[in-house]
Amino acid sequence: MLFAAERLMTSCHLSIDLVIGDVAITQGKSYWACCVDPSSYLVKVGVGLESKLQEWFQVPQDVVSPRYDPDSGHDSGAEDTTVEAPPPYAFLTIGMGKILLSHGSALTSREPNGCTVPLPPRIGVCLDYEQGKVSFYDAVSFRELWECGVDCSGPICPAFCFIGGGALHLQELVASKQERKVTVGGFAKLD
């Protein structure tokens, strides 16, 4: 079911609730943690470009469906010369007490090439804006769950997506590094 959830965002017409953090990140490293209720049907925890998150959830589902082919129809080769940029968002998929982990490709991929692991009590999210990467952790053991690139060409917001009901609780900074901590709107920024 979790493998199918990766396609759920683009191939089904379900009610999707998106919660976007009220603080946009534009520099430095930021870390926050959350607890996802293990009985949640499907929750996605992650980050995304502020401009693309709203756009992504407002696009008609058929436009982003795997059946939609944006090919122009001619074989100019122009489509082949584009450099693959990091995705504008990255989400960890959680459901029914498990996390879907990807093997090498982004979790937004449509190929079910991952595995599941039990849901830890807390999930940590670390965004390194300058490096353009986001890492997800078991916030209790600090074991890294998954890391991927994310487009940091604009303000990045924490984002949470609920499909079919779910709950989570944001928590204070869990890091013990000797860096200055500033907490804003429930999110902590490391300077």
Side-chain angles (χ1 to χ4, degrees), residues 31 52 55 67 123 188:
Y31 180 86
K52 295 294 182 179
E55 181 181 303
R67 295 178 301 246
I123 295 175

Side-chain angles (χ1 to χ4, degrees), residues 53-129:
L53 284 169
Q54 290 290 347
E55 181 181 303
W56 182 42
F57 282 91
Q58 291 175 357
V59 172
Q61 294 296 325
D62 291 340
V63 174
V64 291
S65 167
R67 295 178 301 246
Y68 176 76
D69 183 6
D71 187 16
S72 62
H74 66 284
D75 293 321
S76 67
E79 293 91 347
D80 300 332
T81 61
T82 59
V83 176
E84 191 167 321
Y89 34 77
F91 286 102
L92 194 63
T93 302
I94 303 158
M96 299 172 287
K98 296 187 187 262
I99 297 175
L100 174 64
L101 297 178
S102 176
H103 292 295
S105 66
L107 288 177
T108 54
S109 140
R110 291 185 178 100
E111 297 177 21
N113 61 347
C115 65
T116 60
V117 296
L119 175 65
R122 285 192 317 262
I123 295 175
V125 182
C126 182
L127 173 67
D128 186 333
Y129 191 88

Side-chain angles (χ1 to χ4, degrees), residues 10-11 13 16 49 58 83 121 151 162 177 185:
T10 58
S11 63
H13 297 281
I16 298 172
L49 277 172
Q58 291 175 357
V83 176
D151 182 357
F162 299 90
K177 295 183 179 184

